[in-house]
């Protein structure tokens, strides 16, 4: 399922983004690529792995990153 379809389903279900607005493919892409959810701190070139408790299992985060790379247009 692509980002457009996921965003549409979230919006149809009434699930709101943190801002209170609807979901867009861009907002979902940003969320899926954000290493903070896996517990990493990243700012500029500074990256601190396991800086805080993860809310997404590291293996699940890595699977998502691999899926994003596979689906990326060449």
């Amino acid at each position: 399922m692509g980002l457009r379809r996921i965003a549409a389903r979230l919006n149809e279900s009434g699930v709101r983004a943190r801002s209170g607005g609807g979901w867009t493919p861009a907002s979902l892409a940003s969320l899926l690529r954000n290493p903070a959810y896996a517990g990493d701190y990243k700012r500029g070139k500074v990256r601190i792995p396991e800086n805080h408790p993860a809310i997404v299992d590291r293996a699940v985060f890595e699977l998502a990153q691999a899926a994003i790379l596979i689906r990326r247009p060449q």
Side-chain angles (χ1 to χ4, degrees):
M1 185 180 307
L3 293 175
R4 280 190 188 96
R5 193 174 295 170
I6 295 170
R9 280 197 178 179
L10 288 169
N11 292 328
E12 289 166 3
S13 299
V15 177
R16 294 285 160 226
R18 187 171 77 171
S19 66
W23 292 95
T24 66
S27 62
L28 285 172
S30 176
L31 184 140
L32 290 171
R33 289 185 179 102
N34 190 340
Y37 296 106
D40 296 349
Y41 174 83
K42 184 177 179 187
R43 180 134 190 157
K45 293 182 180 181
V46 175
R47 183 169 182 246
I48 304 171
E50 301 176 16
N51 181 66
H52 53 271
I55 60 171
V56 175
D57 182 70
R58 172 76 53 193
V60 172
F61 182 78
E62 296 301 332
L63 282 172
Q65 302 317 296
I68 289 168
L69 283 176
I70 290 169
R71 295 180 61 99
R72 182 175 291 165
Q74 298 299 320

